[in-house]
Amino acid sequence: MSVRYELERRCSQTGARAGKIHTPHGTFDTPIFMPVGTQATVKTMSPDELKEMGAGIILSNTYHLFLRPGHELIAQAGGLHKFMNWDRGILTDSGGFQVFSLGDLRKITEEGVAFRSHIDGSKQFLSPEKATEVQMALGADIAMAFDECVPYPAEYSYAQDSTDRTTRWAKRCKDVHTRKDQALFGIVQGGMYKELRKKSAAELIELNFPGYALGGLSVGEPKQLMYEIMDYSVPLLPADKPRYLMGVGTPDCLVEGVMYGIDMFDCVFPTRVARNGTAMTSYGRLVVKNAEFAKDFRAIDETCNCYTCRNFTRAYIRHLLKTDEILGLRLMTIHNLHFLIDFMRKMRQSIIEDRFVEFRRDFQNQYEIH
Amino acid sequence: MSVRYELERRCSQTGARAGKIHTPHGTFDTPIFMPVGTQATVKTMSPDELKEMGAGIILSNTYHLFLRPGHELIAQAGGLHKFMNWDRGILTDSGGFQVFSLGDLRKITEEGVAFRSHIDGSKQFLSPEKATEVQMALGADIAMAFDECVPYPAEYSYAQDSTDRTTRWAKRCKDVHTRKDQALFGIVQGGMYKELRKKSAAELIELNFPGYALGGLSVGEPKQLMYEIMDYSVPLLPADKPRYLMGVGTPDCLVEGVMYGIDMFDCVFPTRVARNGTAMTSYGRLVVKNAEFAKDFRAIDETCNCYTCRNFTRAYIRHLLKTDEILGLRLMTIHNLHFLIDFMRKMRQSIIEDRFVEFRRDFQNQYEIH
């Protein structure tokens, strides 16, 4: 098995667990946050900067790379790791989420999804087989089965049909996935219906994937509902394999996800809000662009030791953001990713020392949720 | 004197000279190319990256900083060095070039230039005194006298009046310049008229500036004419002080400038074309964006040892540029600045070893001028 989960410590009071995931491109500690590098680059960052902040694995998007520059080109370059000069872990999503997001531009059949490129309007087609072929060409350490992310809200019958199809598609992905140095994860769907989640998990586990994701969460539902589904779904998954919660990356959701036993997370949130001028800190968000920081010569977070906070002031970063200077986007991105990776590191340490419940309580007392 | 020129070696056949310039923020080797950091940042670069490529001094623009974030704010931050976290040399221009470029938005009188901000249309005024005050607040190692860059072409009478006014303004700048840790350079104007250049140089030398620039060149005139004016003007300047050719930064012009005895150069060229997808190499320009490089897995320049060329392929950089990813702009900028700084280093070495004429001949044989 190309990807292996190693348990280090379980929280004595919650589902939280600390471990390691071994991949063909090194081992990373879990729970972990994966920065998103949609187009074979984590926006504004160099690989060296990602390493400096301790990123162990990043996510890249199959849909985007399939359209540009094309998976054949990346295969010719020697695979995605070599193409983008990143020698640590990579996970590629299946492209499912993106093609379903195209709305009127796509048409779903049992065979797959016909869609028009958002770039040039050209006709394209992704199926379980094609998405798997593309991901094998990209050569990430972890590939994802081609699924439909059930939207929220969804009628029961829609969620049922969609989830059943996702399971059939997962089997087709597995049937054509032959790359030994890549793990193919299954994705549990089922919308907000527990019985569908249960059926989805059971059928996917039957297929024996080396890891499982929870998909279709954080898609607009109330947070409490997401937590309820997580609370119900995580225990359905095998304890000896990685568990991945897709598309979640705000500190409060990360803490809850970890509590329920999730190992891996990804989200564009920290990088996107960075570029909009919002910094993440241990007490909440700081809109660095705001006028109040024009003459504030302190670091974004005086307790932070990222490159940005060690070297630059709020006033300077605000100036860069107001004048549309790229260094501003870079410094904000460095800070937010560093913050989130460090936050996960501290949370992991609290599990190791069996004080996760304390960590969570301190966080909730200190952090202003937006 | 806060800035001091130290001669190391003279070319035995041309005016070229190798030396050092000592400033309150360290010493740099000359001849040197100064990257342009218009808004208190060299576009896309971090200070660490500039250091890694060996930049010893950068240029920043008084006009832009005066409008945003304002010189008072930068003074409050502890000056421009501290504001942008750059502890090597900085030169600020006077703002003259930018306000004169505003065309209909500005009005010149003997007192100074009234203009409207290009950002918000607000009424502003720069005079020799004000430009000097602003530059003292910014606190660069080298400030420039407030001048008018005579446009090309210009009638003799216009050039004469303008140049005489620039000289009167230079005196006014000097009268109010009191900052001991900052050198104020004079700017020789005179358009393409040798006798005006001679008069300008003589009158400025009379004022005893610690360094002199040639302004009003590379403003649209044929290169041969620029070279002729340089050939004529450089010998008018004192040999024991730095000589700075403003706004020049293509390799062929740098070689000629050095040949005539120039020590310092600046230009947005390398950074601007980088962001447009054009790389500078020792044999000419490479338009990395072109389709022919889509599957080219070589470095931009296989003989280059910059971060970009050590780690990334033309195919990857092209992909980043085509998908508007900021890392593409960064990698191109790193390469072009590294190329130009390294080019100056090699040229300097050839002067030290008294083989500059050979260096120039080899360059001319190899480099495709555009």
Side-chain angles (χ1 to χ4, degrees), chain A residues 40 43-44 49 316 325 330, chain B residues 40 43-44 49 316 325 330:
Chain A
K43 285 194 191 303
T44 84
E49 286 162 339
Y316 180 60
E325 286 286 356
R330 292 180 57 188
Chain B
K43 284 193 193 302
T44 86
E49 286 162 338
Y316 180 61
E325 287 286 356
R330 291 179 58 188

Side-chain angles (χ1 to χ4, degrees), chain A residues 5 32 39 54 58 75-76 85 95 98 101 103 112 136 153 166 176 183 190 202 216 233 239 251 295 310 360:
Chain A
Y5 178 75
I32 197 165
Q39 304 193 107
I58 62 169
Q76 277 177 50
N85 189 40
Q98 275 78 21
S101 304
M136 285 197 288
T166 285
V176 296
S233 304
K295 294 183 183 183
R310 279 186 282 115
R360 177 168 174 262

